[in-house]
Amino acid sequence: MAYGLRYTITQKLRDDLNQVVKIYEEDYVGATVTTYEATSVNIQPNSNEEDPIGGIISSQLDVSFLISTEEDYDNFPELLNYNDNKYYVELVIDNNIKWKGFLFNDYINVQFTTGNQEVSITCIDGLSFLKYIYYDSEVSINDLITLLNIIGQGLNKIVYPNMTFIYACCSYYASSMFDRSDAGGDEPFKQAYQYRRDLLNLDYFTILDNIVKGFGCRLFQANGDWYILPMNQMATTIYYTRYVVADVPSNSGNGILDNLIEIEPYAEGNVHFVNNGQT
């Protein structure tokens, strides 16, 4: 599946960097890239369940931008189509992908005005697609399959055009290991197995949700990749094994997460916490 860059929506940040929403159209080979000015760019979870310990946290990108010229209207995305993968979307800051997904064709908001019009669109990460894709086995249903391969097969159904990784950060380990770092590649999803027959008649969303909750973890997207992290508490050192998303994921390295945020207590000059007495 080939995509060509069709639209860019840009918003300037307070640190003088630009965040750019890039929208790629399937099979587009033209040279015209329509640019819009963003009024709002926001990422938020879009889970429709009230389960406080839900295993899968899907997300959406909400974008509002201005259209004003005849060219803006003529080149507007074709949102009334039935191809969920027609428009692939990336949120990029300083050449780094912060989020990716697909334009949600069922929703658009255009306010009536006699001047500039503000258009609001929604993009989704694609995890909800898995609710309509059911597991099917081409080999004996009595064979075993690793949980890692099941996870890879499920996430591979979300057809991103570029390489995507799975960061498995679940740190259960064997009794002969002193800690996770003794065998960084021997994380639990690689070593646990399931009979294929147990997966029949289940959609991939349910399968992945059951797997990650079984290990007390959550699955979500961050920086354009998939992360599986424990939901109850975080260790001081968080080890990960990185895999390339595929039906049979390949190991792409081990390491320690360094993209952690340290929240400092309140002190004069910072605004980490508000104590209701600040103005």
Side-chain angles (χ1 to χ4, degrees):
M1 188 179 298
Y3 287 87
L5 182 61
R6 190 68 177 84
Y7 308 94
T8 60
I9 306 171
T10 304
Q11 183 179 46
K12 195 171 187 62
L13 302 176
R14 291 183 178 180
D15 58 3
D16 287 331
L17 294 176
N18 288 328
Q19 62 177 355
V20 183
V21 178
K22 296 183 177 182
I23 302 178
Y24 298 80
E25 185 175 346
E26 185 179 3
D27 298 328
Y28 180 69
V29 294
T32 301
V33 178
T34 303
T35 60
Y36 296 106
E37 178 184 349
T39 57
S40 174
V41 178
N42 180 47
I43 299 175
Q44 62 182 355
N46 66 356
S47 176
N48 59 4
E49 60 176 302
E50 299 298 329
D51 186 356
I53 56 172
I56 294 180
I57 306 299
S58 57
S59 60
Q60 69 183 46
L61 176 70
D62 297 319
V63 184
S64 297
F65 57 94
L66 298 175
I67 57 176
S68 56
T69 68
E70 192 65 30
E71 182 181 2
D72 291 342
Y73 289 97
D74 293 342
N75 294 318
F76 198 75
E78 180 192 352
L79 297 179
L80 299 179
N81 69 84
Y82 296 99
N83 182 1
D84 292 330
N85 299 323
K86 182 176 178 63
Y87 294 103
Y88 165 70
V89 182
E90 292 178 347
L91 174 62
V92 177
I93 300 177
D94 197 23
N95 295 319
N96 296 313
I97 296 177
K98 297 299 182 181
W99 186 93
K100 61 187 180 185
F102 299 93
L103 188 59
F104 187 44
N105 296 332
D106 286 346
Y107 176 82
I108 182 175
N109 181 27
V110 182
Q111 299 180 358
F112 175 78
T113 177
T114 56
N116 294 338
Q117 286 188 305
E118 183 180 55
V119 177
S120 298
I121 60 176
T122 296
C123 311
I124 57 177
D125 59 16
L127 282 170
S128 59
F129 296 165
L130 302 182
K131 293 182 178 181
Y132 308 99
I133 304 175
Y134 286 79
Y135 177 81
D136 186 26
S137 177
E138 297 180 353
V139 299
S140 173
I141 61 174
N142 294 316
D143 287 349
L144 290 169
I145 182 173
T146 66
L147 297 186
L148 175 62
N149 285 359
I150 299 172
I151 294 171
Q153 289 176 16
L155 295 178
N156 203 29
K157 302 296 182 184
I158 305 173
V159 190
Y160 292 145
N162 50 17
M163 183 177 293
T164 307
F165 296 102
I166 303 169
Y167 284 80
C169 308
C170 184
S171 286
Y172 291 100
Y173 45 87
S175 59
S176 60
M177 298 164 56
F178 181 71
D179 60 25
R180 170 73 180 275
S181 63
D182 289 339
D186 292 332
E187 50 79 30
F189 302 114
K190 179 181 178 181
Q191 302 179 85
Y193 294 82
Q194 185 82 34
Y195 281 109
R196 295 178 185 269
R197 60 175 179 261
D198 298 332
L199 308 175
L200 295 179
N201 300 318
L202 292 177
D203 61 84
Y204 275 102
F205 189 94
T206 300
I207 292 171
L208 297 186
D209 188 55
N210 290 340
I211 290 174
V212 296
K213 283 198 296 188
F215 285 89
C217 293
R218 275 181 168 159
L219 168 67
F220 57 92
Q221 186 194 130
N223 297 325
D225 294 311
W226 302 113
Y227 281 75
I228 302 176
L229 280 164
M231 68 174 73
N232 51 358
Q233 67 180 43
M234 295 292 182
T236 302
T237 301
I238 302 178
Y239 297 100
Y240 69 81
T241 305
R242 188 175 70 175
Y243 299 98
V244 177
V245 172
D247 287 350
V248 181
S250 57
N251 191 316
S252 181
N254 310 295
I256 299 174
L257 287 187
D258 60 0
N259 56 344
L260 306 178
I261 299 174
E262 182 177 347
I263 301 179
E264 300 176 359
Y266 173 76
E268 186 70 27
N270 71 42
V271 290
H272 287 294
F273 294 102
V274 177
N275 64 4
N276 295 326
Q278 295 166 305
T279 58

